[in-house]
Amino acid sequence: MAHHEKAHDGYVQATKAAEPVSKSAKILHRRQEENLPIFGDLVEHADATHLRYHEREDARNIELFFDLFFVAIFSTFTKNHEINSNEALSSYAVYFGVIWASWLQVCLYDVRFGFDSIFERSTKAIQMCAFIGFASTTASLEMGPTPEVGKEAALSGFQSLNFLMIVSRALFALQYAVAYVLVGRKHPPAKMPLLITAIMYASASTIYSLLYKFVLLDSGNASGFYGYYAIIAFELSVMSLVVARYECVSFKETHLHKRLMVLTLMILGEGIIVCAFSFAKISSKTGWTANSFGQALCVILSIYFIYCLYFGNSGIEAPLYFRPVKQQLYAMLHLPFHLSLALTLEGLRTWTVIANVQYNFKKVYGYIEKVIGETPDVFRLEEFNATTGADIVDSLNSTAKTFKFDKSASWDYMQTALTKMNLAWQDDAATIGTQTKSDVLKYYFTEFVSLFQNEQFVSNSMVVPSVQIEAAKGSGVAQMNAYFAVFKMIFIYFFICTALVMIVLGVFRRMTLGVRDRYDNVMITVRMAMGLFLGLLGLLGLMDDRITSYINSGVLLPTLLFVLLFVVMFEKGLTIFAIKQGKKFSNTVRKDDPEYGQKLNMDAKSVGEEDAY
């Protein structure tokens, strides 16, 4: 708080000049500090020719506190929306974009005109309430078409969200109108850009109200929600053009990049919390096994290496000096990066559950193997006699009870499958009918193990859309097919998102390096190449036989870990090699050579301070 710091400096100088200071003077000074102005000085200095923002190296406490509200919304939406369909994935992406863009636009104002005052605290209180309102709408947001009956009830979440968007944009318009008056009167060149920005937000507020009435409500189709992206694109485009045209209101030498870094940390932290919760749930059912420990290790190390690649480069502070357009581009690239990162973290949690279910599923075959002395073959079950068949049924029944499935919704269906298997081994004519004994045993065994797997997914909070469960009508195989369709979708989006994370990390590295040489270019290329590799892996999701083999192999999570580890180790090794080569070259050049500097830098591809920043 700049006015507090100035008052404190003046107070220290006064106390040094005239000791001692009376108790009443100290109390008066403290009260002057605590007495917030109505608006205060939105900028540190402004006159007819110069405009300078308050210098801040890091985010203020109120800004960090506000960031927590974004994380609260993000966490709430993730818990309320299982990504188990294309519609759910669309909802996640669009809603994340809406709240992220709203957060960013709060930051764009704060890093330039934020100042501790009654006005700022009041607007922050409204913005925090709006963000909590965003969180409260998450439970009722669905992207599919809405039937005529109950249309307004189905769209209630969008109605609430739309109202909050109207209020938030109107508040932005008020903030920039205040900046127009307080800053523009001191620095006339800032009047036009601030006025344009205020009008833009007022227009956006009006458009949001029209969007709900004529697109969402009248059409009865929530896909109109995609129109939010068009409005957000309009808002950010106008902001970018204004900043590019009027440098006096640019973000140069602000701490915008620090806000983006803090949000990245918070998203990573939320991902760790979600994964840790999943680990705890898994261990509470089966305890820690070598498999669950290995999967958890892959997840945690993958998150850690992503952190290293984002924060572990020397150019992390470079955005402070970017030119206006480049700084805007750098900030907006964080939308696909943060969205991809959030989906990657959700994918890591999901694949941990899937890997654990697969491991437990193998126990079913392990228990049967103890009975028959070999791995069961569904095509040869008829070879066992009735006594062995009864032992197999008892083993399967005990296994289901071990996992406490006797209290599940599928228990009756499991018992039916086991009963039919027992009767088939006893050559019951009514059970076998016109089919072969082999086909009957194969069908009911497959039904049982499918129900077993499905219940494990449900117990780990992983479910398919209720419409597909109802369509299955209790059939374990039909439910398993529904789960496989979900796995296929998750597989594709997981690898596409990890690919985007790697590619954008390469772009960030390219943008933040002012001067590069061939070694830097190789590191950037490797990041993007590994991103393309992960993206190509996602194409396996289009081939059912390949994706099944890959998922069952248990190497999905290790694949991402090895890619990230390779990139980190490669960059470390190449950096050490480049340092040695640089020292070796330096030692071969005489320092008294008048062309020494030119020779020393002849391999560098300099982009220059002005071009880089």
Side-chain angles (χ1 to χ4, degrees):
M1 294 177 286
H3 70 290
H4 290 176
E5 293 171 0
K6 291 178 180 179
H8 178 70
D9 292 341
Y11 175 70
V12 171
Q13 293 176 3
T15 54
K16 288 182 178 179
E19 297 281 355
V21 178
S22 66
K23 178 181 178 180
S24 59
K26 292 180 180 180
I27 294 175
L28 176 62
H29 170 71
R30 172 175 56 79
R31 287 176 177 161
Q32 287 175 333
E33 283 190 322
E34 294 173 349
N35 184 31
L36 294 176
I38 296 177
F39 294 104
D41 297 323
L42 300 189
V43 293
E44 184 174 332
H45 173 77
D47 56 31
T49 57
H50 297 91
L51 177 65
R52 184 172 66 251
Y53 304 134
H54 293 288
E55 295 182 9
R56 301 186 182 101
E57 293 184 1
D58 294 298
R60 296 173 297 149
N61 290 336
I62 195 169
E63 294 173 344
L64 294 175
F65 185 54
F66 178 75
D67 292 345
L68 295 177
F69 282 77
F70 175 91
V71 177
I73 302 172
F74 172 55
S75 177
T76 303
F77 186 73
T78 300
K79 291 177 181 177
N80 285 337
H81 280 259
E82 182 78 24
I83 304 179
N84 53 18
S85 66
N86 292 328
E87 290 77 13
L89 181 61
S90 298
S91 295
Y92 190 100
V94 175
Y95 188 80
F96 185 93
V98 167
I99 61 173
W100 187 92
S102 298
W103 172 88
L104 177 65
Q105 292 177 83
V106 171
C107 291
L108 296 182
Y109 178 87
D110 288 346
V111 298
R112 294 177 296 173
F113 307 114
F115 186 81
D116 194 21
S117 62
I118 295 175
F119 177 72
E120 184 188 47
R121 293 194 181 188
S122 300
T123 55
K124 273 289 176 288
I126 297 173
Q127 289 167 344
M128 290 173 184
C129 290
F131 266 52
I132 290 299
F134 288 153
S136 67
T137 64
T138 58
S140 56
L141 294 180
E142 298 294 341
M143 295 300 296
T146 306
E148 186 66 28
V149 179
K151 180 172 61 176
E152 291 194 29
L155 290 174
S156 61
F158 293 102
Q159 183 177 14
S160 301
L161 181 62
N162 209 84
F163 173 76
L164 294 169
M165 295 296 283
I166 294 170
V167 171
S168 65
R169 270 45 188 183
L171 185 61
F172 289 150
L174 175 62
Q175 286 180 306
Y176 281 99
V178 170
Y180 167 80
V181 174
L182 299 182
V183 178
R185 69 184 182 187
K186 297 179 181 179
H187 187 69
K191 282 187 174 182
M192 183 58 69
L194 292 175
L195 180 61
I196 292 173
T197 306
I199 294 175
M200 179 268 291
Y201 280 120
S203 302
S205 181
T206 304
I207 295 173
Y208 278 116
S209 62
L210 297 175
L211 176 68
Y212 177 75
K213 175 62 177 71
F214 297 107
V215 179
L216 293 176
L217 189 59
D218 289 351
S219 69
N221 193 324
S223 61
F225 189 45
Y226 292 118
Y228 280 34
Y229 261 155
I231 304 175
I232 289 170
F234 162 72
E235 294 171 349
L236 296 179
S237 298
V238 171
M239 180 67 74
S240 298
L241 291 173
V242 167
V243 169
R245 174 63 179 83
Y246 301 94
E247 192 169 350
C248 61
V249 293
S250 71
F251 305 99
K252 190 173 182 179
E253 298 186 17
T254 65
H255 60 287
L256 176 61
H257 65 294
K258 290 289 185 71
R259 297 295 303 277
L260 295 167
M261 290 164 57
V262 168
L263 189 63
T264 303
L265 276 176
M266 289 186 173
I267 292 175
L268 287 172
E270 173 60 23
I272 294 171
I273 293 173
V274 171
C275 290
F277 180 79
S278 180
F279 300 153
K281 199 165 189 178
I282 290 172
S283 63
S284 68
K285 297 178 180 297
T286 59
W288 275 104
T289 63
N291 176 76
S292 58
F293 177 79
Q295 298 294 340
L297 187 64
C298 286
V299 169
I300 298 304
L301 288 179
S302 295
I303 295 174
Y304 175 69
F305 287 138
I306 291 174
Y307 163 85
C308 291
L309 292 174
Y310 180 83
F311 289 96
N313 79 73
S314 59
I316 197 70
E317 296 293 337
L320 182 66
Y321 305 104
F322 279 169
R323 289 178 298 174
V325 175
K326 189 173 182 180
Q327 193 166 48
Q328 281 282 91
L329 177 62
Y330 178 79
M332 292 180 188
L333 277 175
H334 276 75
L335 173 56
F337 175 70
H338 284 158
L339 175 59
S340 300
L341 182 59
L343 288 170
T344 295
L345 296 171
E346 178 64 17
L348 287 173
R349 181 199 67 82
T350 303
W351 288 119
T352 303
V353 172
I354 294 173
N356 180 69
V357 170
Q358 288 176 323
Y359 177 78
N360 291 331
F361 175 67
K362 292 177 182 178
K363 291 182 179 180
V364 176
Y365 286 91
Y367 291 136
I368 299 176
E369 190 172 351
K370 290 180 180 179
V371 176
I372 64 178
E374 60 180 305
T375 302
D377 186 345
V378 294
F379 296 101
R380 297 174 54 199
L381 292 174
E382 80 281 358
E383 297 179 3
F384 303 111
N385 57 38
T387 302
T388 303
D391 291 339
I392 293 174
V393 169
D394 289 340
S395 176
L396 293 174
N397 194 48
S398 299
T399 303
K401 288 183 177 180
T402 300
F403 285 90
K404 300 179 180 179
F405 291 159
D406 53 332
K407 298 178 181 179
S408 68
S410 299
W411 177 247
D412 290 340
Y413 296 109
M414 288 184 181
Q415 291 301 296
T416 300
L418 292 177
T419 300
K420 294 292 186 181
M421 289 174 64
N422 207 5
L423 291 172
W425 266 309
Q426 295 174 11
D427 296 318
D428 180 68
T431 301
I432 297 175
T434 58
Q435 304 178 71
T436 65
K437 181 178 180 180
S438 175
D439 288 340
V440 172
L441 288 170
K442 176 186 174 183
Y443 173 80
Y444 285 111
F445 180 81
T446 305
E447 185 73 8
F448 175 84
V449 296
S450 296
L451 289 167
F452 186 91
Q453 275 190 306
N454 297 340
E455 281 302 322
Q456 287 194 79
F457 288 125
V458 172
S459 65
N460 284 280
S461 303
M462 183 177 178
V463 296
V464 298
S466 58
V467 174
Q468 297 183 24
I469 293 295
E470 293 172 2
K473 298 180 180 179
S475 169
V477 174
Q479 290 182 38
M480 198 61 233
N481 290 335
Y483 272 107
F484 180 77
V486 174
F487 298 161
K488 184 176 179 180
M489 181 207 66
I490 295 173
F491 184 93
I492 294 173
Y493 92 66
F494 176 73
F495 278 108
I496 289 177
C497 288
T498 54
L500 286 174
V501 168
M502 287 302 303
I503 291 172
V504 177
L505 284 171
V507 173
F508 286 161
R509 180 67 171 167
R510 168 66 178 79
M511 294 179 72
T512 55
L513 290 180
V515 178
R516 304 183 312 279
D517 62 8
R518 60 175 179 267
Y519 301 113
D520 294 316
N521 291 332
V522 169
M523 293 180 196
I524 294 169
T525 302
V526 167
R527 288 190 182 193
M528 294 186 173
M530 289 298 99
L532 292 175
F533 168 73
L534 292 171
L536 291 174
L537 276 181
L539 296 180
L540 288 177
L542 302 177
M543 299 175 280
D544 291 351
D545 55 338
R546 298 291 179 87
I547 186 177
T548 301
S549 301
Y550 190 65
I551 293 175
N552 291 334
S553 67
V555 300
L556 191 147
L557 290 177
T559 298
L560 176 60
L561 174 61
F562 289 145
V563 167
L564 292 169
L565 179 62
F566 169 76
V567 174
V568 171
M569 297 301 294
F570 178 83
E571 291 188 358
K572 179 64 176 177
L574 188 58
T575 298
I576 294 173
F577 177 78
I579 291 173
K580 290 182 178 179
Q581 289 296 106
K583 289 181 178 179
K584 182 179 178 181
F585 181 75
S586 298
N587 293 333
T588 61
V589 181
R590 288 172 48 190
K591 301 236 176 149
D592 56 350
D593 188 338
E595 298 181 355
Y596 172 72
Q598 181 180 356
K599 293 179 181 178
L600 187 64
N601 295 297
M602 66 182 183
D603 288 333
K605 181 184 178 182
S606 174
V607 294
E609 290 290 325
E610 183 177 351
D611 179 61
Y613 303 144

